[in-house]
Amino acid sequence: MARAFPLGAVRFVAHERAEAAARELGGHGRRVSAARDKLDQLAGFRAQYRVQRDSLLVAGVDTARVRDFDAFLGRLDEAIRTQGEELARLEAGFEAARGRWLELRRREQAMDVLAARHDEIEAARVRRLDQKEQDEFAQRTSRALAKVRLG
């Protein structure tokens, strides 16, 4: 009978850790995507308000209204800067999580290779034992038949 892989528990833990790291990486990816979408949305708002401001200037609207637009555009610029910093922070977190996942995945794959080698070695050992048992059985049968013939 084949013996169990002696590092089975370690292999299981490696698999569980790699799975947890993959889930964590997925969460980081979703947060990065959401932050990127928000930054794109803010940039879109800024472009729209910039067009509106420029059309007000062409129409000759009073300066107070233009100042209000400029102040709002300034707040949008600040929000864009802040969101860009948040996106950069989240992307760094994503890359760190990706590195952790890659390392844990590499360890998991190494355990899989060791388990496959163990299985191959055990299968060969079991085949040798089976062959030995068959050979011994054949010898006993041959001796028993020889005794019957001679006897």
Side-chain angles (χ1 to χ4, degrees):
M1 177 177 220
R3 293 178 288 213
F5 180 51
L7 297 175
V10 175
R11 182 181 183 203
F12 176 78
V13 169
H15 174 73
E16 290 297 311
R17 286 180 179 170
E19 288 292 316
R23 285 189 299 275
E24 180 184 346
L25 181 61
H28 280 282
R30 287 186 294 280
R31 287 188 290 280
V32 165
S33 180
R36 190 172 287 125
D37 290 346
K38 186 173 180 180
L39 182 60
D40 291 344
Q41 186 179 31
L42 287 170
F45 288 156
R46 186 185 189 293
Q48 289 173 356
Y49 280 99
R50 186 80 173 160
V51 167
Q52 287 179 10
R53 179 194 174 277
D54 291 346
S55 66
L56 287 176
L57 285 174
V58 171
V61 176
D62 64 64
T63 57
R65 190 149 182 219
V66 172
R67 272 195 306 265
D68 289 344
F69 262 87
D70 286 343
F72 183 71
L73 286 170
R75 286 191 300 276
L76 271 177
D77 286 342
E78 179 61 23
I80 288 170
R81 185 190 63 71
T82 301
Q83 187 61 30
E85 291 170 355
E86 176 69 3
L87 177 58
R89 186 186 67 76
L90 290 171
E91 285 174 336
F94 175 84
E95 287 305 316
R98 183 176 176 272
R100 282 190 301 276
W101 173 75
L102 286 171
E103 175 60 23
L104 290 170
R105 180 69 180 127
R106 185 190 61 74
R107 289 180 188 179
E108 179 188 27
Q109 288 173 335
M111 282 289 133
D112 290 345
V113 167
L114 289 175
R117 285 182 190 160
H118 169 80
D119 291 346
E120 290 171 7
I121 290 168
E122 278 301 297
R125 187 183 68 79
V126 167
R127 281 191 305 273
R128 283 190 308 273
L129 285 175
D130 287 346
Q131 185 63 49
K132 182 179 177 183
E133 287 175 6
Q134 288 175 9
D135 292 347
E136 288 173 359
F137 178 76
Q139 285 178 356
R140 282 194 306 270
T141 304
S142 177
R143 281 190 217 125
L145 285 175
K147 282 184 185 180
V148 169
R149 286 187 206 145
L150 293 175

Coordinates of all heavy atoms in Angstrom, one line a residue, residues 13-97:
V13 N -1.5 23.7 4.1 CA -1.3 25.0 4.6 C -0.8 26.0 3.5 O -1.3 27.1 3.3 CB -0.4 25.1 5.8 CG1 0.0 26.5 6.2 CG2 -1.1 24.4 7.0
A14 N 0.1 25.5 2.7 CA 0.6 26.3 1.6 C -0.5 26.6 0.6 O -0.6 27.8 0.1 CB 1.7 25.5 0.8
H15 N -1.3 25.7 0.3 CA -2.5 25.9 -0.6 C -3.4 26.9 0.0 O -3.9 27.9 -0.7 CB -3.2 24.6 -0.9 CG -4.5 24.8 -1.6 ND1 -4.5 25.0 -3.0 CD2 -5.8 24.7 -1.3 CE1 -5.7 25.2 -3.4 NE2 -6.5 25.0 -2.4
E16 N -3.8 26.8 1.3 CA -4.7 27.7 2.0 C -4.1 29.1 2.0 O -4.8 30.1 1.7 CB -5.0 27.2 3.4 CG -5.8 26.0 3.5 CD -7.2 26.2 2.9 OE1 -7.9 27.1 3.2 OE2 -7.6 25.3 2.0
R17 N -2.8 29.2 2.2 CA -2.2 30.6 2.3 C -2.2 31.2 0.9 O -2.4 32.4 0.7 CB -0.8 30.5 2.8 CG -0.7 30.3 4.3 CD 0.7 30.2 4.8 NE 0.7 30.0 6.3 CZ 1.7 29.7 6.9 NH1 2.9 29.6 6.4 NH2 1.7 29.6 8.3
A18 N -1.9 30.4 -0.1 CA -1.9 30.9 -1.5 C -3.3 31.4 -1.9 O -3.5 32.4 -2.6 CB -1.4 29.9 -2.5
E19 N -4.3 30.6 -1.5 CA -5.7 31.0 -1.8 C -6.1 32.3 -1.1 O -6.8 33.1 -1.7 CB -6.7 29.8 -1.4 CG -6.6 28.6 -2.3 CD -7.2 28.9 -3.7 OE1 -8.2 29.6 -3.8 OE2 -6.5 28.5 -4.6
A20 N -5.7 32.4 0.2 CA -6.0 33.6 0.9 C -5.3 34.8 0.3 O -5.9 35.9 0.2 CB -5.6 33.5 2.4
A21 N -4.1 34.6 -0.2 CA -3.3 35.7 -0.8 C -4.0 36.1 -2.1 O -4.0 37.3 -2.5 CB -1.9 35.3 -1.0
A22 N -4.5 35.1 -2.8 CA -5.2 35.4 -4.1 C -6.5 36.2 -3.8 O -6.8 37.1 -4.6 CB -5.6 34.1 -4.8
R23 N -7.2 35.8 -2.8 CA -8.4 36.6 -2.4 C -8.0 38.0 -2.0 O -8.7 39.0 -2.4 CB -9.2 35.9 -1.3 CG -10.0 34.7 -1.7 CD -10.9 34.2 -0.6 NE -10.2 33.8 0.6 CZ -9.6 32.6 0.8 NH1 -9.7 31.7 -0.1 NH2 -9.0 32.3 1.9
E24 N -7.0 38.2 -1.3 CA -6.5 39.5 -0.9 C -6.1 40.3 -2.1 O -6.4 41.5 -2.2 CB -5.3 39.4 0.1 CG -4.7 40.7 0.5 CD -3.5 40.6 1.4 OE1 -3.2 39.4 1.9 OE2 -2.8 41.6 1.6
L25 N -5.4 39.7 -3.0 CA -5.0 40.4 -4.3 C -6.2 40.8 -5.0 O -6.2 41.9 -5.6 CB -4.1 39.4 -5.1 CG -3.6 40.0 -6.4 CD1 -2.7 41.2 -6.2 CD2 -2.8 38.9 -7.2
G26 N -7.2 40.0 -5.1 CA -8.4 40.4 -5.8 C -9.1 41.6 -5.2 O -9.6 42.5 -5.9
G27 N -9.1 41.6 -3.8 CA -9.6 42.8 -3.1 C -8.8 44.1 -3.5 O -9.4 45.1 -3.7
H28 N -7.5 43.9 -3.5 CA -6.7 45.1 -3.8 C -7.0 45.5 -5.3 O -7.1 46.7 -5.6 CB -5.2 44.7 -3.7 CG -4.7 44.8 -2.3 ND1 -4.4 46.0 -1.7 CD2 -4.4 43.8 -1.4 CE1 -4.0 45.7 -0.4 NE2 -4.0 44.4 -0.3
G29 N -7.1 44.6 -6.2 CA -7.4 44.9 -7.6 C -8.7 45.6 -7.7 O -8.8 46.6 -8.5
R30 N -9.8 45.2 -7.0 CA -11.1 45.9 -7.0 C -10.9 47.3 -6.5 O -11.5 48.3 -7.0 CB -12.1 45.1 -6.2 CG -12.6 43.9 -7.0 CD -13.7 43.2 -6.3 NE -13.4 42.6 -4.9 CZ -12.7 41.5 -4.8 NH1 -12.4 40.7 -5.8 NH2 -12.4 41.0 -3.5
R31 N -10.2 47.5 -5.4 CA -10.0 48.8 -4.8 C -9.2 49.7 -5.8 O -9.6 50.9 -6.0 CB -9.3 48.8 -3.5 CG -10.2 48.2 -2.4 CD -9.6 48.4 -1.0 NE -8.5 47.4 -0.8 CZ -8.6 46.2 -0.5 NH1 -9.8 45.6 -0.4 NH2 -7.6 45.4 -0.2
V32 N -8.2 49.2 -6.4 CA -7.5 50.0 -7.4 C -8.4 50.4 -8.6 O -8.4 51.6 -9.0 CB -6.2 49.2 -8.0 CG1 -5.7 49.8 -9.2 CG2 -5.2 49.1 -6.9
S33 N -9.2 49.5 -9.0 CA -10.1 49.7 -10.2 C -11.1 50.8 -9.8 O -11.4 51.7 -10.6 CB -10.8 48.4 -10.6 OG -11.7 48.7 -11.6
A34 N -11.7 50.7 -8.6 CA -12.6 51.7 -8.1 C -12.0 53.1 -8.0 O -12.6 54.1 -8.4 CB -13.2 51.3 -6.8
A35 N -10.7 53.1 -7.5 CA -10.0 54.4 -7.3 C -9.7 55.0 -8.7 O -9.8 56.2 -8.9 CB -8.7 54.2 -6.5
R36 N -9.3 54.2 -9.6 CA -9.1 54.6 -11.0 C -10.3 55.2 -11.6 O -10.3 56.2 -12.3 CB -8.5 53.5 -11.8 CG -7.9 54.0 -13.2 CD -7.2 52.9 -13.9 NE -5.9 52.6 -13.2 CZ -5.5 51.5 -12.8 NH1 -6.2 50.4 -12.9 NH2 -4.3 51.3 -12.2
D37 N -11.4 54.5 -11.4 CA -12.7 55.0 -12.0 C -13.1 56.3 -11.4 O -13.6 57.2 -12.1 CB -13.8 53.9 -11.7 CG -13.7 52.7 -12.5 OD1 -12.9 52.7 -13.5 OD2 -14.4 51.7 -12.2
K38 N -12.9 56.5 -10.1 CA -13.2 57.7 -9.4 C -12.3 58.9 -9.9 O -12.8 60.0 -10.2 CB -13.0 57.6 -7.9 CG -13.5 58.8 -7.1 CD -13.4 58.5 -5.6 CE -13.9 59.8 -4.9 NZ -13.8 59.5 -3.4
L39 N -11.0 58.6 -10.1 CA -10.1 59.6 -10.7 C -10.6 60.0 -12.1 O -10.6 61.2 -12.4 CB -8.7 59.0 -10.7 CG -7.6 60.0 -11.2 CD1 -7.6 61.3 -10.4 CD2 -6.3 59.3 -11.2
D40 N -10.9 59.0 -12.9 CA -11.4 59.3 -14.3 C -12.7 60.1 -14.2 O -12.9 61.0 -15.0 CB -11.7 58.0 -15.0 CG -10.4 57.2 -15.4 OD1 -9.3 57.8 -15.3 OD2 -10.5 56.0 -15.7
Q41 N -13.6 59.8 -13.3 CA -14.8 60.5 -13.1 C -14.5 62.0 -12.7 O -15.1 62.9 -13.3 CB -15.7 59.9 -12.1 CG -17.1 60.5 -12.0 CD -17.9 59.7 -10.9 OE1 -17.4 59.2 -9.9 NE2 -19.2 59.7 -11.1
L42 N -13.6 62.2 -11.8 CA -13.3 63.6 -11.4 C -12.6 64.3 -12.6 O -13.0 65.5 -12.8 CB -12.3 63.5 -10.2 CG -12.9 63.1 -8.9 CD1 -11.8 62.9 -7.8 CD2 -13.9 64.2 -8.4
A43 N -11.8 63.7 -13.3 CA -11.2 64.3 -14.5 C -12.2 64.7 -15.5 O -12.2 65.7 -16.1 CB -10.1 63.4 -15.1
G44 N -13.2 63.8 -15.7 CA -14.3 64.1 -16.6 C -15.1 65.3 -16.1 O -15.5 66.2 -16.9
F45 N -15.4 65.4 -14.8 CA -16.2 66.5 -14.3 C -15.4 67.8 -14.5 O -15.9 68.8 -14.9 CB -16.4 66.4 -12.8 CG -17.4 65.3 -12.4 CD1 -17.4 64.8 -11.1 CD2 -18.4 64.9 -13.3 CE1 -18.3 63.8 -10.8 CE2 -19.4 64.0 -12.9 CZ -19.3 63.4 -11.6
R46 N -14.1 67.7 -14.3 CA -13.2 68.9 -14.4 C -13.3 69.4 -15.9 O -13.4 70.6 -16.2 CB -11.8 68.6 -14.0 CG -10.9 69.9 -14.1 CD -9.5 69.6 -13.8 NE -8.7 70.8 -13.6 CZ -8.5 71.7 -14.6 NH1 -8.9 71.5 -15.8 NH2 -7.7 72.8 -14.3
A47 N -13.2 68.4 -16.8 CA -13.2 68.8 -18.2 C -14.6 69.5 -18.6 O -14.6 70.5 -19.3 CB -13.0 67.6 -19.1
Q48 N -15.7 68.9 -18.1 CA -17.0 69.5 -18.3 C -17.1 70.9 -17.8 O -17.6 71.8 -18.5 CB -18.1 68.6 -17.7 CG -18.3 67.3 -18.4 CD -19.3 66.4 -17.6 OE1 -19.7 66.7 -16.5 NE2 -19.6 65.2 -18.2
Y49 N -16.7 71.1 -16.5 CA -16.8 72.4 -15.9 C -15.8 73.4 -16.6 O -16.1 74.6 -16.7 CB -16.5 72.3 -14.4 CG -17.7 71.9 -13.6 CD1 -17.9 70.5 -13.2 CD2 -18.8 72.7 -13.4 CE1 -19.0 70.1 -12.6 CE2 -19.9 72.3 -12.7 CZ -20.0 71.0 -12.3 OH -21.2 70.6 -11.7
R50 N -14.7 72.9 -17.1 CA -13.8 73.8 -17.8 C -14.4 74.3 -19.0 O -14.3 75.5 -19.4 CB -12.5 73.0 -18.1 CG -11.4 73.8 -18.7 CD -10.7 74.5 -17.6 NE -9.6 75.2 -18.1 CZ -9.0 76.2 -17.5 NH1 -9.4 76.6 -16.4 NH2 -8.0 76.8 -18.1
V51 N -15.1 73.4 -19.8 CA -15.8 73.8 -21.0 C -16.9 74.8 -20.6 O -17.1 75.9 -21.3 CB -16.4 72.6 -21.7 CG1 -17.4 73.0 -22.8 CG2 -15.3 71.7 -22.3
Q52 N -17.7 74.6 -19.6 CA -18.7 75.5 -19.2 C -18.1 76.9 -18.8 O -18.7 77.9 -19.2 CB -19.5 75.0 -18.0 CG -20.4 73.8 -18.3 CD -21.1 73.3 -17.1 OE1 -21.1 73.9 -16.0 NE2 -21.8 72.2 -17.2
R53 N -17.0 76.9 -18.0 CA -16.3 78.1 -17.7 C -15.9 78.9 -18.9 O -16.1 80.1 -19.0 CB -15.1 77.8 -16.8 CG -14.4 79.1 -16.3 CD -13.0 78.7 -15.7 NE -12.2 79.8 -15.5 CZ -11.5 80.5 -16.4 NH1 -11.4 80.1 -17.6 NH2 -10.7 81.5 -16.0
D54 N -15.3 78.2 -19.9 CA -14.8 78.8 -21.1 C -16.0 79.4 -21.9 O -15.9 80.5 -22.4 CB -14.0 77.9 -21.9 CG -12.7 77.5 -21.3 OD1 -12.3 78.2 -20.3 OD2 -12.1 76.5 -21.7
S55 N -17.1 78.7 -21.9 CA -18.3 79.3 -22.6 C -18.8 80.5 -21.9 O -19.3 81.4 -22.5 CB -19.3 78.2 -22.8 OG -19.9 77.8 -21.6
L56 N -18.7 80.5 -20.6 CA -19.2 81.7 -19.8 C -18.3 82.9 -20.2 O -18.8 84.0 -20.3 CB -19.2 81.4 -18.3 CG -20.2 80.5 -17.8 CD1 -20.0 80.3 -16.3 CD2 -21.6 81.1 -18.0
L57 N -17.0 82.6 -20.3 CA -16.1 83.7 -20.6 C -16.4 84.3 -22.0 O -16.4 85.5 -22.2 CB -14.6 83.3 -20.5 CG -14.0 83.0 -19.2 CD1 -12.7 82.4 -19.3 CD2 -14.0 84.4 -18.4
V58 N -16.7 83.4 -22.9 CA -17.0 83.9 -24.3 C -18.4 84.6 -24.3 O -18.5 85.6 -25.0 CB -17.1 82.6 -25.2 CG1 -17.7 83.0 -26.6 CG2 -15.7 82.0 -25.4
A59 N -19.3 84.2 -23.4 CA -20.6 84.9 -23.3 C -20.5 86.2 -22.6 O -21.5 87.0 -22.6 CB -21.6 83.9 -22.7
G60 N -19.4 86.4 -21.9 CA -19.3 87.7 -21.2 C -20.0 87.7 -19.9 O -20.6 88.8 -19.5
V61 N -20.0 86.7 -19.1 CA -20.7 86.6 -17.8 C -19.9 87.4 -16.8 O -18.6 87.6 -17.0 CB -20.9 85.2 -17.4 CG1 -21.4 85.0 -16.0 CG2 -21.7 84.4 -18.4
D62 N -20.5 87.9 -15.7 CA -19.8 88.7 -14.7 C -18.7 87.9 -14.1 O -18.7 86.6 -14.0 CB -20.8 89.2 -13.7 CG -21.4 88.1 -12.9 OD1 -20.7 87.4 -12.1 OD2 -22.7 87.9 -12.9
T63 N -17.7 88.6 -13.6 CA -16.5 88.0 -13.0 C -16.8 87.2 -11.7 O -16.0 86.3 -11.4 CB -15.4 89.1 -12.7 OG1 -16.0 90.0 -11.8 CG2 -15.0 89.7 -14.0
A64 N -17.8 87.5 -11.0 CA -18.1 86.8 -9.8 C -18.4 85.3 -10.1 O -18.0 84.4 -9.4 CB -19.2 87.4 -9.0
R65 N -19.2 85.2 -11.2 CA -19.6 83.8 -11.6 C -18.4 83.0 -12.1 O -18.2 81.9 -11.8 CB -20.7 83.9 -12.6 CG -21.3 82.5 -12.9 CD -22.7 82.6 -13.3 NE -23.2 81.2 -13.5 CZ -24.0 80.9 -14.4 NH1 -24.5 81.8 -15.3 NH2 -24.4 79.6 -14.5
V66 N -17.5 83.7 -12.8 CA -16.3 83.1 -13.3 C -15.4 82.7 -12.1 O -14.8 81.6 -12.1 CB -15.5 84.0 -14.3 CG1 -14.2 83.4 -14.7 CG2 -16.4 84.3 -15.5
R67 N -15.3 83.6 -11.1 CA -14.5 83.3 -9.9 C -15.1 82.0 -9.2 O -14.3 81.2 -8.7 CB -14.5 84.5 -8.9 CG -13.4 85.4 -9.2 CD -13.1 86.4 -8.1 NE -14.4 87.1 -7.7 CZ -14.7 88.3 -8.1 NH1 -13.9 88.9 -8.9 NH2 -15.8 88.8 -7.7
D68 N -16.4 81.9 -9.1 CA -17.0 80.7 -8.5 C -16.6 79.5 -9.3 O -16.3 78.4 -8.7 CB -18.6 80.9 -8.5 CG -19.1 81.9 -7.5 OD1 -18.3 82.3 -6.6 OD2 -20.2 82.3 -7.6
F69 N -16.7 79.6 -10.6 CA -16.2 78.4 -11.4 C -14.8 78.1 -11.2 O -14.4 76.9 -11.0 CB -16.5 78.7 -12.9 CG -17.7 78.1 -13.4 CD1 -18.9 78.8 -13.4 CD2 -17.8 76.8 -14.0 CE1 -20.1 78.2 -13.8 CE2 -18.9 76.2 -14.5 CZ -20.1 77.0 -14.4
D70 N -14.0 79.2 -11.1 CA -12.5 78.9 -10.9 C -12.3 78.3 -9.5 O -11.5 77.4 -9.3 CB -11.8 80.3 -10.9 CG -11.6 80.7 -12.4 OD1 -11.8 79.9 -13.3 OD2 -11.3 81.9 -12.6
A71 N -13.0 78.7 -8.5 CA -12.9 78.2 -7.1 C -13.3 76.7 -7.2 O -12.7 75.8 -6.6 CB -13.8 78.9 -6.1
F72 N -14.4 76.4 -7.9 CA -14.9 75.0 -8.0 C -13.9 74.2 -8.7 O -13.6 73.0 -8.3 CB -16.3 75.0 -8.6 CG -16.8 73.6 -8.7 CD1 -17.3 73.0 -7.5 CD2 -16.9 72.9 -9.9 CE1 -17.8 71.7 -7.5 CE2 -17.4 71.6 -9.9 CZ -17.8 71.0 -8.7
L73 N -13.3 74.7 -9.8 CA -12.3 74.0 -10.5 C -11.1 73.8 -9.7 O -10.4 72.7 -9.7 CB -11.9 74.7 -11.8 CG -12.9 74.7 -12.9 CD1 -12.5 75.7 -14.1 CD2 -13.0 73.3 -13.5
G74 N -10.7 74.7 -8.8 CA -9.6 74.5 -7.9 C -9.9 73.4 -6.9 O -9.0 72.6 -6.6
R75 N -11.1 73.3 -6.4 CA -11.5 72.2 -5.5 C -11.5 70.9 -6.3 O -11.0 69.8 -5.7 CB -12.9 72.4 -4.9 CG -12.8 73.5 -3.8 CD -14.1 73.6 -3.0 NE -15.3 73.9 -3.8 CZ -15.7 75.1 -4.2 NH1 -15.1 76.2 -3.8 NH2 -16.8 75.3 -4.9
L76 N -11.9 70.9 -7.5 CA -11.8 69.7 -8.3 C -10.4 69.3 -8.5 O -10.0 68.1 -8.5 CB -12.5 69.9 -9.7 CG -14.0 69.5 -9.7 CD1 -14.5 69.8 -11.1 CD2 -14.3 68.1 -9.4
D77 N -9.5 70.2 -8.8 CA -8.1 69.9 -9.0 C -7.5 69.3 -7.7 O -6.7 68.4 -7.8 CB -7.3 71.2 -9.3 CG -7.5 71.7 -10.8 OD1 -8.0 70.9 -11.6 OD2 -7.3 72.9 -11.1
E78 N -7.9 69.8 -6.6 CA -7.4 69.3 -5.3 C -7.9 67.9 -5.1 O -7.2 67.0 -4.7 CB -7.8 70.2 -4.1 CG -7.4 69.7 -2.8 CD -5.9 69.5 -2.6 OE1 -5.1 70.2 -3.3 OE2 -5.5 68.7 -1.8
A79 N -9.2 67.6 -5.4 CA -9.8 66.3 -5.3 C -9.1 65.3 -6.3 O -8.8 64.2 -5.9 CB -11.3 66.3 -5.6
I80 N -8.7 65.8 -7.5 CA -8.0 65.0 -8.4 C -6.6 64.6 -7.9 O -6.2 63.5 -8.0 CB -7.9 65.7 -9.8 CG1 -9.3 65.6 -10.5 CG2 -6.9 65.0 -10.7 CD1 -9.5 66.5 -11.7
R81 N -5.9 65.6 -7.3 CA -4.6 65.4 -6.8 C -4.7 64.3 -5.6 O -3.9 63.4 -5.6 CB -4.0 66.7 -6.3 CG -2.5 66.5 -5.8 CD -2.0 67.7 -5.0 NE -2.7 68.1 -3.8 CZ -2.7 67.3 -2.7 NH1 -1.9 66.3 -2.6 NH2 -3.4 67.7 -1.6
T82 N -5.6 64.6 -4.7 CA -5.8 63.6 -3.6 C -6.2 62.2 -4.1 O -5.6 61.2 -3.6 CB -6.9 64.2 -2.7 OG1 -6.6 65.4 -2.2 CG2 -7.2 63.2 -1.5
Q83 N -7.1 62.1 -5.1 CA -7.4 60.8 -5.6 C -6.3 60.2 -6.3 O -6.1 59.0 -6.3 CB -8.6 61.0 -6.6 CG -9.2 59.6 -7.0 CD -9.7 58.8 -5.9 OE1 -10.2 59.3 -4.8 NE2 -9.6 57.5 -6.0
G84 N -5.4 61.0 -7.0 CA -4.2 60.4 -7.6 C -3.3 59.8 -6.6 O -2.7 58.8 -6.8
E85 N -3.1 60.5 -5.5 CA -2.3 60.0 -4.4 C -2.9 58.7 -3.8 O -2.1 57.8 -3.5 CB -2.1 61.0 -3.3 CG -1.3 62.2 -3.7 CD -1.3 63.4 -2.7 OE1 -2.1 63.3 -1.7 OE2 -0.6 64.4 -2.9
E86 N -4.2 58.7 -3.7 CA -4.9 57.5 -3.2 C -4.7 56.3 -4.1 O -4.4 55.2 -3.7 CB -6.4 57.8 -2.9 CG -7.2 56.6 -2.5 CD -6.8 56.1 -1.1 OE1 -6.0 56.7 -0.4 OE2 -7.4 55.0 -0.7
L87 N -4.8 56.6 -5.4 CA -4.6 55.6 -6.4 C -3.2 55.0 -6.4 O -3.0 53.8 -6.4 CB -4.9 56.1 -7.8 CG -4.7 55.2 -9.0 CD1 -5.6 53.9 -8.8 CD2 -5.0 55.9 -10.3
A88 N -2.2 55.9 -6.2 CA -0.8 55.5 -6.2 C -0.6 54.6 -4.9 O 0.1 53.6 -5.0 CB 0.1 56.7 -6.1
R89 N -1.2 55.0 -3.8 CA -1.1 54.2 -2.6 C -1.7 52.8 -2.8 O -1.1 51.8 -2.4 CB -1.8 54.9 -1.4 CG -1.6 54.3 -0.1 CD -2.4 55.0 1.0 NE -3.8 54.8 0.9 CZ -4.5 53.7 1.1 NH1 -3.9 52.6 1.5 NH2 -5.8 53.7 0.9
L90 N -2.9 52.8 -3.4 CA -3.6 51.5 -3.6 C -2.8 50.6 -4.6 O -2.8 49.4 -4.4 CB -5.0 51.7 -4.1 CG -6.0 52.3 -3.0 CD1 -7.3 52.7 -3.7 CD2 -6.2 51.3 -1.9
E91 N -2.2 51.3 -5.6 CA -1.4 50.5 -6.6 C -0.2 49.9 -5.9 O 0.2 48.7 -6.2 CB -1.0 51.4 -7.8 CG -2.2 51.6 -8.7 CD -1.9 52.6 -9.8 OE1 -0.9 53.4 -9.7 OE2 -2.6 52.6 -10.9
A92 N 0.4 50.6 -5.0 CA 1.6 50.1 -4.3 C 1.1 48.9 -3.4 O 1.8 47.9 -3.3 CB 2.2 51.2 -3.4
G93 N 0.0 49.0 -2.8 CA -0.6 47.9 -2.0 C -0.9 46.7 -2.8 O -0.6 45.6 -2.4
F94 N -1.4 47.0 -4.0 CA -1.7 45.9 -5.0 C -0.4 45.2 -5.4 O -0.3 43.9 -5.4 CB -2.4 46.4 -6.2 CG -2.6 45.4 -7.3 CD1 -3.7 44.5 -7.2 CD2 -1.7 45.2 -8.3 CE1 -3.9 43.6 -8.2 CE2 -1.9 44.3 -9.3 CZ -3.0 43.4 -9.3
E95 N 0.6 45.9 -5.7 CA 1.9 45.3 -6.1 C 2.5 44.5 -4.9 O 3.1 43.4 -5.1 CB 2.9 46.4 -6.6 CG 2.5 46.9 -7.9 CD 2.4 45.8 -9.0 OE1 3.3 44.9 -9.0 OE2 1.5 45.8 -9.8
A96 N 2.4 45.0 -3.7 CA 2.9 44.3 -2.5 C 2.1 43.0 -2.4 O 2.7 41.9 -2.1 CB 2.8 45.1 -1.3
A97 N 0.8 43.1 -2.5 CA 0.0 41.9 -2.4 C 0.3 40.9 -3.5 O 0.3 39.7 -3.3 CB -1.5 42.2 -2.4

